[in-house]
């Protein structure tokens, strides 16, 4: 099976990036991380990439005159690596419609909630305040709607009576590190794609919640 070139975008510590690096190190995974690009020079994820021998690039968004100019430069940097897939792993930038359209069907994101619940920030706090019995994380194709693209996979976990936003975040992170590498592998193997009616796995349109993976 041919390699699937992947470019990962980060802004921070890169724990999901590390899970992706670990999952592609086995040799039987067609996903191949060609580069890691960050909008912050101090992002620890860049050190993770360098330790794994992966090319890195930094594009400081503050050096550009507006989102469109930054995204245009970002597209140029990404496309130099000829990616089949672009993966957002804690990339804290709202992307322009032009950027999203350029990578339509080959742009994945992970979000720490059971979408469509709790788009945006502070998802763990919001789940607790709402008294939810379940929380979790979602991998989705990126569209122009923030945190609104078709869902590929979700990992629900029970909310415990003594949970805090911090304890809930820790348990959600464990699930993120499980389902993101899985979704990337599915894409690299040609099993996961964006179809006319949403995300498809093995030729079948997934339900609105995506593939549900429970422990």
């Amino acid at each position: 099976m041919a390699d699937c070139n992947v470019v990962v975008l980060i802004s921070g510590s890169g724990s999901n990036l590390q899970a992706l690096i670990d999952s592609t190190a086995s040799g039987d995974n067609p996903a191949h991380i060609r580069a890691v690009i960050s909008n912050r020079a101090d992002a620890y994820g860049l050190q993770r990439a360098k330790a794994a021998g992966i090319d890195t690039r930094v594009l400081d968004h503050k050096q550009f005159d507006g989102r469109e100019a930054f995204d245009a430069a970002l597209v140029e940097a990404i496309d130099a690596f000829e990616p089949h897939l672009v993966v957002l792993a804690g990339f804290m930038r709202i992307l322009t419609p032009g950027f999203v359209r350029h990578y339509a069907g080959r742009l994945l994101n992970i979000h720490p909630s059971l979408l469509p619940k709790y788009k945006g920030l502070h998802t763990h706090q919001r789940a607790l305040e709402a008294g939810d019995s379940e929380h979790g994380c979602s991998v989705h194709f990126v569209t122009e709607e923030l945190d609104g693209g078709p869902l590929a996979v979700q990992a629900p976990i029970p909310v415990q009576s003594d949970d805090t936003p911090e304890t809930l975040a820790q348990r959600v992170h464990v699930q993120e590190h499980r389902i993101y590498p899985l979704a990337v592998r599915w894409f690299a193997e040609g099993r996961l794609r964006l179809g006319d009616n949403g995300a498809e796995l093995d030729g079948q349109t997934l339900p609105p919640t995506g593939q549900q993976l429970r422990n």
Side-chain angles (χ1 to χ4, degrees):
M1 187 177 295
D3 273 354
C4 172
N5 291 336
V6 179
V7 171
V8 183
L9 306 185
I10 64 167
S11 294
S13 72
S15 65
N16 271 307
L17 167 65
Q18 189 65 57
L20 293 168
I21 290 171
D22 293 345
S23 73
T24 55
S26 60
D28 64 344
N29 188 337
H32 174 61
I33 302 174
R34 287 288 313 278
V36 172
I37 301 175
S38 177
N39 64 313
R40 296 177 59 98
D42 61 351
Y44 181 67
L46 294 170
Q47 305 305 317
R48 298 179 189 270
K50 289 171 183 171
I54 298 168
D55 278 342
T56 62
R57 298 286 185 274
V58 175
L59 263 73
D60 184 350
H61 59 274
K62 299 189 203 72
Q63 304 298 317
F64 293 86
D65 185 20
R67 274 172 36 193
E68 283 77 11
F70 173 74
D71 279 10
L74 186 57
V75 164
E76 191 175 332
I78 292 168
D79 285 355
F81 295 98
E82 301 180 338
H84 302 98
L85 177 65
V86 178
V87 174
L88 306 177
F91 189 60
M92 303 304 289
R93 299 282 301 163
I94 294 177
L95 300 166
T96 56
F99 182 97
V100 172
R101 284 194 296 269
H102 183 76
Y103 297 109
R106 52 194 183 115
L107 185 60
L108 288 177
N109 184 44
I110 193 159
H111 186 73
S113 77
L114 296 176
L115 292 170
K117 279 188 167 185
Y118 313 127
K119 298 176 182 181
L121 302 174
H122 311 300
T123 59
H124 312 303
Q125 179 72 39
R126 290 156 69 192
L128 289 174
E129 288 174 351
D132 290 354
S133 61
E134 272 194 332
H135 189 43
C137 49
S138 310
V139 177
H140 66 95
F141 284 98
V142 177
T143 62
E144 293 178 41
E145 181 188 354
L146 181 65
D147 297 331
L151 292 167
V153 56
Q154 287 189 325
I157 61 167
V159 177
Q160 297 170 358
S161 59
D162 58 350
D163 263 326
T164 65
E166 292 72 29
T167 60
L168 200 50
Q170 286 172 351
R171 297 210 316 286
V172 169
H173 274 143
V174 171
Q175 300 306 315
E176 288 181 21
H177 300 163
R178 184 168 72 107
I179 67 170
Y180 215 3
L182 185 63
V184 169
R185 180 168 188 146
W186 285 346
F187 187 95
E189 291 173 341
R191 298 178 58 196
L192 176 66
R193 65 184 292 271
L194 183 60
D196 293 337
N197 298 312
E200 296 178 1
L201 184 63
D202 297 329
Q204 302 292 314
T205 300
L206 288 165
T209 55
Q211 184 83 2
Q212 296 275 298
L213 289 184
R214 295 177 183 271
N215 273 337

